[in-house]
Amino acid sequence: MLKKLTLYFIPEEKQELPEVLLKYKLVVNIILITFLFDLDYAFITITIKMSEGTVSLIIAAILHLSLLFAVKKNILLSFIINFYVLVGVLAVVISIYFSGGLSSPVLPWLATSPVVALLMNGRKTGLTWLFINSSIALYFGISDKLGYSFPLHYDLEWKNSLAINCLVGLILIVFFVSYVFETGKNTAFKKLAENSILLAEEKRKNAFHEISQEIHDGVGQTLSIIKLNLHLLEKIKDESGGKLNETVELVTKAIVDLRNISNHLYSENLHSFILENALSDDLTLIKNIGTHSTVLNVTGKSNIDPKTAFSLYRIAKEGLNNILKHASATSIIITLDYSNQFTMVIQDNGVGISYKNEIGGQGIASMRDRINLLGGYMSIEDSGKGTILKLIL
């Protein structure tokens, strides 16, 4: 419900890029939370009979609500953010002024605006409102020192209740705003992890592109000449011996070209590749992001050659990518067992059946093709508490 409401106020063109959508979600959610607090404290001011506070908070609620429609109308976001903070600060200042100035229970609310401004629009906006709100606090402090008496336009019997409400409200709004920001940050970091896991697959695609180009430009041209010579052999019988020798030389050159391409593709020093080290690095990266707990268990000592290990690593990377994209998991466990028949198990605690639905996808098909080329076996099972990917070689 809240997700649909949030997306309703965000223009469709702002929902295309994840980083832009993330910022708009943050702004809309914070304005919605503030709107609810405006209404809550307007009701409290009615209870304690502070009419000035009631009027200012109702106006603030209306203006904050209008800002949501300004977002929908695609008004400049930085203007919306600064206007949002300004409205909130003015409502707080009015409430402070008519509830005792420096001794007002509302005074601590000045601390929220710079924090919210910082989260919503960055360092510059946060520092600006830090300066403004600090100046307002100094004004109340200096005025009190000079003996200025601020009005107390509320029922003083409610003073302790007002103080408790302000403190609880302050705690709640800081928590909610931080929670919204933390959720957005985790989403961004999760996307970063997905991109990192996809990097190896992108390198693989680029390698195949290079293969295609080199075959076309190098081996392809050589084989084309061979074909031409073979056609000439059919027409010029008496010169067939010379052409035949030339054709043999060209075939030899084609073999050398293919060998050079192979050496180029394996330029990443695969002779020193260690499967558990590569997987450990990936799991550490994912764990440091903070969205998943990760464990790597290794039994026995590696007895597979580096090229095979690298192929298994590619399959594991695709499995990790699927977990990050589809499983909604919080835990990833990889087990490597070299003790008898090599076995690799990748297990998550995600939605299980949703992940299993990806079996017909291109990524899973690619994984099956690779393990088949190695002469191994792959299975994907729903454990009831997540998904288990098992490779046997």
Side-chain angles (χ1 to χ4, degrees):
M1 177 66 180
L2 180 60
K3 184 178 180 180
K4 289 183 179 179
L5 182 63
T6 301
L7 292 176
Y8 171 78
F9 289 110
I10 301 176
E12 290 185 4
E13 61 269 25
K14 302 299 183 183
Q15 299 182 27
E16 296 176 358
L17 295 175
E19 60 271 19
V20 175
L21 176 61
L22 178 63
K23 183 168 184 178
Y24 271 79
K25 280 184 175 180
L26 178 67
V27 172
V28 169
N29 282 324
I30 289 177
I31 293 176
L32 279 170
I33 291 168
T34 306
F35 169 72
L36 295 175
F37 271 90
D38 289 338
L39 296 179
D40 178 56
Y41 277 93
F43 176 78
I44 291 173
T45 56
I46 293 173
T47 303
I48 65 175
K49 300 176 183 179
M50 189 172 74
S51 57
E52 296 86 355
T54 304
V55 173
S56 64
L57 286 165
I58 289 176
I59 293 174
I62 294 171
L63 291 175
H64 283 151
L65 183 62
S66 68
L67 287 178
L68 292 173
F69 291 96
V71 172
K72 188 174 179 62
K73 290 290 185 181
N74 210 7
I75 304 298
L76 185 65
L77 198 61
S78 59
F79 170 79
I80 292 173
I81 292 169
N82 280 289
F83 189 77
Y84 154 81
V85 178
L86 175 63
V87 170
V89 169
L90 288 176
V92 169
V93 168
I94 291 171
S95 297
I96 294 172
Y97 186 89
F98 288 102
S99 59
L102 189 65
S103 62
S104 171
V106 186
L107 188 65
W109 273 85
L110 286 174
T112 63
S113 303
V115 176
V116 173
L118 176 67
L119 295 177
M120 292 174 75
N121 206 44
R123 185 184 305 172
K124 185 177 180 181
T125 304
L127 289 173
T128 299
W129 285 103
L130 176 65
F131 174 77
I132 293 172
N133 283 23
S134 297
S135 300
I136 293 171
L138 285 172
Y139 160 75
F140 284 113
I142 293 171
S143 297
D144 183 76
K145 184 70 174 178
L146 295 175
Y148 183 82
S149 180
F150 290 95
L152 291 168
H153 289 182
Y154 73 99
D155 188 345
L156 292 178
E157 291 184 2
W158 291 90
K159 184 174 182 178
N160 289 337
S161 297
L162 177 61
I164 292 172
N165 271 290
C166 285
L167 288 173
V168 171
L170 190 63
I171 293 168
L172 287 174
I173 196 166
V174 170
F175 173 80
F176 283 131
V177 169
S178 300
Y179 178 79
V180 169
F181 178 78
E182 178 70 11
T183 301
K185 183 195 74 174
N186 286 342
T187 301
F189 279 151
K190 182 179 179 182
K191 190 69 178 177
L192 178 63
E194 292 174 6
N195 290 338
S196 177
I197 297 300
L198 284 169
L199 182 59
E201 190 64 19
E202 189 63 29
K203 288 176 68 178
R204 183 184 69 86
K205 291 177 182 177
N206 290 338
F208 278 119
H209 178 71
E210 290 180 15
I211 291 174
S212 176
Q213 288 297 110
E214 293 195 40
I215 289 176
H216 178 271
D217 297 337
V219 181
Q221 290 180 5
T222 303
L223 294 177
S224 295
I225 297 173
I226 291 174
K227 183 178 179 181
L228 179 61
N229 282 349
L230 290 174
H231 283 302
L232 290 173
L233 283 174
E234 292 178 355
K235 296 179 180 179
I236 311 174
K237 302 290 185 179
D238 56 337
E239 297 180 5
S240 60
K243 288 294 179 182
L244 184 60
N245 290 334
E246 186 179 345
T247 301
V248 172
E249 291 177 3
L250 289 171
V251 170
T252 303
K253 183 179 183 302
I255 293 172
V256 172
D257 287 345
L258 284 172
R259 187 175 298 157
N260 290 337
I261 291 172
S262 177
N263 291 336
H264 174 71
L265 291 174
Y266 285 95
S267 60
E268 298 185 45
N269 296 320
L270 291 184
H271 62 278
S272 61
F273 183 82
I274 300 175
L275 178 60
E276 50 264 42
N277 289 354
L279 290 175
S280 178
D281 289 342
D282 284 349
L283 291 181
T284 299
L285 172 64
I286 295 172
K287 183 178 181 179
N288 289 342
I289 288 169
T291 57
H292 297 75
S293 63
T294 62
V295 176
L296 176 63
N297 299 316
V298 181
T299 302
K301 188 176 180 180
S302 176
N303 53 6
I304 54 178
D305 64 90
K307 290 183 180 181
T308 301
F310 187 71
S311 296
L312 290 168
Y313 175 62
R314 285 179 171 178
I315 299 172
K317 292 278 274 187
E318 184 67 35
L320 289 172
N321 177 47
N322 284 340
I323 292 173
L324 294 174
K325 289 181 67 176
H326 306 296
S328 300
T330 59
S331 172
I332 302 173
I333 300 174
I334 298 182
T335 302
L336 302 178
D337 189 349
Y338 297 100
S339 58
N340 189 11
Q341 188 178 32
F342 172 78
T343 304
M344 175 164 60
V345 177
I346 303 176
Q347 184 172 1
D348 66 70
N349 65 342
V351 294
I353 191 68
S354 176
Y355 179 30
K356 191 175 180 181
N357 286 339
E358 299 298 320
I359 289 177
Q362 185 176 356
I364 300 296
S366 175
M367 293 163 69
R368 289 194 186 281
D369 289 341
R370 285 176 181 160
I371 194 66
N372 288 339
L373 287 173
L374 295 175
Y377 169 78
M378 183 180 86
S379 67
I380 301 176
E381 301 175 4
D382 187 345
S383 68
K385 296 181 180 179
T387 304
I388 299 174
L389 169 66
K390 189 173 184 179
L391 303 174
I392 300 175
L393 191 61

